Amino acid sequence: MITIDDVKHLASLARLSVPEAELDTFVKEFDGILEYIGQLEKLPIFMDSTPVVPPLHNVFREDGEPTPVGTNTKTITSAFPHKKGKLLSVKKIL
Amino acid sequence: MSNINELTITEAARALRVHKFSVRELWDATAAIAIAKNKDIFAYLELFDANDVDIASAQKRIDSEGDAAPLLCGIPLAVKDNILIKGKIASAASKMLENYRASYTATVIEKLQDAGALFLGRTNMDEFAMGSSTENSAFGTTRNPYDKERVPGGSSGGSAAAVSANMAIAALGSDTGGSIRQPASFCGLVGLKPTYGAVSRYGLIALGSSLDQIGSLTKTVAGSQILFNTISGRDVRDATTIPKELYPFKKVPNKLRIGVPRALLEKGVDADVLAHFNEKLTALDAAGHHIIDINLPTSAYALAVYYVIMPAEASTNLSRLDGMRYGLAKCGETLLDDYLKTRSQGFGPEVRRRILLGTFVLSSGYIDAYYRKAHAARAVLANEYLAAFKQTDVIAVPTSPSSAFRRGERNDPISMYLEDLFTAPANITGMPALSVPMGMVDRDGTKLPVGMHFTAPYQAENVLFAAGMAIENIHV
């Protein structure tokens, strides 16, 4: 059984808040889901079962042909919610 | 001839080549129907204006290259709202990205543009592809063209409704646990989830990165094949993409060996859905194909595995949406308040639920019991399928246990999650799967389509298409 406090704690870990009015329903639904995925406990398997690994090697491309500096700057900075000139503006961290 | 917006990809491509109509006429006819029907169906979140340059160049290419021009040249397609087209909004049907304009173009879109395809608009979906009904969209519910009181399935419900209502010739969707195949089943279409890595995910807004694949919703298996051939292939911008023939090539046999995991169908499947399924198997048997009983014991746990791995990956992927660099940004007193306000107001209830679930299964006290166990079970399941494919070419089940349900009918999460029962295993194993229409069932006097689902070994999409065509060729 999961409690309201558990949900609040998970929410704070996930940088979310669950509105007070929704907490009861949320806990109930969450319990139902945990019960469902809890059937995994009954599954008789060894934790070191051999994974199926795709026969894919050296997937990194060769370095080279960097994009010229500034190519995407305007596109990316135009999406900033808050900015000063070309700089992303955020609240004081410390 | 039927109205030109009702044509399949193959029919439209043929007609364009013999100049029965122009690219412009095909676009205008399809776009006009899309605009007219969208009030009722709400398949599209946004319909794009005609791109005169692209229409003209597609026409020129058909005129000069004739049969050598790509089959998708001049064909108007719909695109799910989680696939990026530079300069266009890509919102994943979320308030979080309501005004986000893509800063780059997805590889699949580039490939389609190179083939001369045209884009009609972006289609509605469950928010961040989380859902099986398109009811989780932040902007409204898409209706099933067969019965507007029912859902089109999801999460690619907008793409499915658009093609089914002839508001597009074909569409792109994405599939994490059944999000292409289940709406295809509900809307009477062919839906393909390719092999994991067959199609580049560069430019797809991620849900579960080890499960997601972009695929197609089409009116025919031939259309599915054309789209797959166009969008698949290795991409240096997606390191998980695989080269052609990474796995041994499977020749399509004259007579297919079709495995049926009977034990999985014993309960929970609507009687008339099962009847259609059995009828098709009997017809396949009569056509000389071999029906073989198989066992996939771990498949019964596949959905539980899926609902551990997917939320774990989703909660990780969605942590990047914090209101700092793009998307919704809400201001609070402190930096932490900014995060909390942005994420709590930007994400809908289902997204918040899955983020919390993912956070839970990854938390230190539970990671062994849930995430690591699910990860181990994933390997067991894949090995079970590989073993089954030693004696079969494809594995068949119904795509969904039921036909399209009523809006608002599935209001608890578990009953909605059960929609993925037969489709999630293909995402867990990474194997390709296809849903093909297998008949109509009657619900309160309305005829509703249901689909048959085939899974094939890695990179054996060719065998899937053969199985799909075998179903299309049965005329009972």
Side-chain angles (χ1 to χ4, degrees):
Chain A
M1 286 291 279
I2 200 155
T3 64
I4 287 185
D5 284 342
D6 292 335
V7 169
K8 282 184 175 167
H9 177 61
L10 282 174
S12 76
L13 289 173
R15 302 280 188 265
L16 277 176
S17 58
V18 181
E20 288 289 330
E22 291 175 25
L23 270 172
D24 279 337
T25 334
F26 207 93
V27 167
K28 221 171 81 192
E29 287 169 351
F30 212 85
D31 257 337
I33 299 169
L34 290 185
E35 194 190 322
Y36 186 79
I37 61 174
Q39 58 176 290
L40 280 180
E41 285 171 32
K42 287 179 268 167
L43 181 62
I45 55 164
F46 300 109
M47 296 298 277
D48 60 351
S49 56
T50 321
V52 176
V53 182
L56 189 62
H57 305 287
N58 192 22
V59 291
F60 294 104
R61 69 169 167 82
E62 294 299 318
D63 281 344
E65 297 173 49
T67 323
V69 174
T71 313
N72 298 310
T73 311
K74 213 177 145 195
T75 320
I76 292 165
T77 55
S78 69
F80 289 172
H82 306 287
K83 61 186 159 189
K84 278 183 187 152
K86 274 198 293 188
L87 301 177
L88 173 67
S89 169
V90 293
K91 284 211 171 69
K92 221 164 98 176
I93 292 167
L94 286 172
Chain B
M1 192 177 78
S2 47
N3 295 324
I4 63 176
N5 60 301
E6 294 170 17
L7 299 176
T8 65
I9 294 176
T10 327
E11 289 166 346
R14 195 179 304 132
L16 285 172
R17 275 155 188 72
V18 298
H19 304 288
K20 248 185 188 167
F21 47 77
S22 65
V23 173
R24 167 69 66 179
E25 284 165 335
L26 177 60
W27 170 278
D28 284 348
T30 316
I33 294 294
I35 293 165
K37 285 189 174 177
N38 208 41
K39 274 198 189 79
D40 274 353
I41 306 281
F42 197 51
Y44 289 94
L45 289 170
E46 183 190 0
L47 281 152
F48 303 147
D49 290 336
N51 185 325
D52 297 337
V53 176
D54 289 351
I55 291 174
S57 82
Q59 185 66 58
K60 206 172 146 198
R61 199 162 165 190
I62 290 170
D63 293 344
S64 60
E65 294 177 28
D67 284 344
L71 287 166
L72 287 168
C73 192
I75 305 289
L77 304 174
V79 179
K80 190 173 178 180
D81 192 32
N82 59 354
I83 300 172
L84 272 48
I85 306 176
K86 189 174 179 171
K88 304 271 188 212
I89 288 178
S91 79
S94 178
K95 292 272 181 211
M96 186 62 98
L97 295 174
E98 189 171 5
N99 300 309
Y100 168 71
R101 279 190 191 274
S103 54
Y104 63 99
T105 294
T107 298
V108 289
I109 298 293
E110 274 181 6
K111 284 176 178 257
L112 290 170
Q113 283 168 339
D114 288 348
L118 306 169
F119 305 109
L120 284 156
R122 51 190 182 93
T123 55
N124 199 15
M125 56 187 278
D126 286 295
E127 184 178 1
F128 286 106
M130 297 183 187
S132 308
S133 68
T134 319
E135 290 168 297
N136 291 337
S137 164
F139 307 113
T141 311
T142 299
R143 311 301 181 103
N144 189 315
Y146 285 86
D147 178 352
K148 295 193 186 70
E149 287 313 305
R150 290 173 190 272
V151 302
S155 65
S156 311
S159 287
V163 180
S164 178
N166 299 306
M167 301 157 75
I169 303 294
L172 287 186
S174 68
D175 190 312
T176 307
S179 281
I180 288 174
R181 292 159 286 155
Q182 183 253 21
S185 174
F186 281 13
C187 292
L189 300 172
V190 175
L192 171 72
K193 196 284 296 181
T195 305
Y196 184 75
V199 176
S200 171
R201 290 179 293 116
Y202 179 77
L204 169 70
I205 298 175
L207 167 54
S209 305
S210 76
L211 306 157
D212 296 342
Q213 266 296 281
I214 294 174
S216 60
L217 289 135
T218 55
K219 293 166 193 167
T220 60
V221 176
S224 185
Q225 206 165 6
I226 292 166
L227 263 169
F228 175 71
N229 290 340
T230 309
I231 63 174
S232 57
R234 179 96 178 86
D235 179 12
V236 290
R237 294 170 298 185
D238 174 359
T240 60
T241 50
I242 55 177
K244 282 199 166 37
E245 294 185 30
L246 177 69
Y247 296 91
F249 177 74
K250 299 260 181 210
K251 211 174 144 251
V252 177
N254 277 337
K255 301 296 174 194
L256 292 162
R257 297 169 301 163
I258 300 162
V260 182
R262 283 281 168 204
L264 296 176
L265 310 177
E266 275 166 9
K267 53 179 181 184
V269 185
D270 286 357
D272 48 2
V273 173
L274 199 56
H276 277 293
F277 178 72
N278 288 330
E279 196 177 277
K280 291 293 178 205
L281 288 180
T282 309
L284 287 169
D285 183 60
H289 301 290
H290 311 287
I291 313 297
I292 301 163
D293 280 347
I294 56 165
N295 265 318
L296 298 166
T298 310
S299 243
Y301 294 91
L303 199 62
V305 170
Y306 176 73
Y307 273 95
V308 171
I309 291 173
M310 177 271 300
E313 295 185 5
S315 70
T316 313
N317 276 327
L318 294 182
S319 64
R320 77 187 62 160
L321 296 164
D322 55 8
M324 293 293 124
R325 288 151 299 157
Y326 56 91
L328 185 77
K330 292 282 172 193
C331 272
E333 290 287 306
T334 63
L335 184 65
L336 180 63
D337 289 338
D338 286 4
Y339 293 150
L340 287 172
K341 274 195 160 181
T342 302
R343 290 168 61 79
S344 301
Q345 291 177 34
F347 293 135
E350 181 61 23
V351 179
R352 280 185 272 140
R353 185 179 293 124
R354 293 198 196 186
I355 290 175
L356 293 194
L357 190 58
T359 309
F360 177 80
V361 299
L362 290 174
S363 60
S364 64
Y366 298 99
I367 192 162
D368 280 331
Y370 293 104
Y371 185 73
R372 295 211 174 102
K373 186 79 182 265
H375 197 67
R378 188 174 192 175
V380 174
L381 187 72
N383 281 316
E384 250 173 48
Y385 269 79
L386 287 174
F389 282 127
K390 285 187 180 143
Q391 47 159 339
T392 60
D393 300 306
V394 288
I395 292 171
V397 287
T399 306
S400 167
S402 63
S403 56
F405 46 89
R406 287 181 182 282
R407 301 169 62 215
E409 187 181 289
R410 305 278 171 100
N411 47 20
D412 73 296
I414 291 290
S415 72
M416 191 69 92
Y417 294 176
L418 286 171
E419 276 301 310
D420 299 332
L421 193 62
F422 295 134
T423 48
N427 303 80
I428 293 170
T429 62
M431 289 165 184
L434 183 81
S435 177
V436 206
M438 68 171 177
M440 307 289 277
V441 296
D442 193 297
R443 293 288 176 276
D444 308 323
T446 309
K447 297 267 185 233
L448 300 171
V450 286
M452 184 146 177
H453 184 274
F454 292 106
T455 310
Y458 296 114
Q459 260 182 333
E461 275 85 358
N462 56 332
V463 182
L464 272 188
F465 295 135
M469 284 177 185
I471 293 293
E472 283 181 338
N473 291 333
I474 296 169
H475 300 286
V476 187

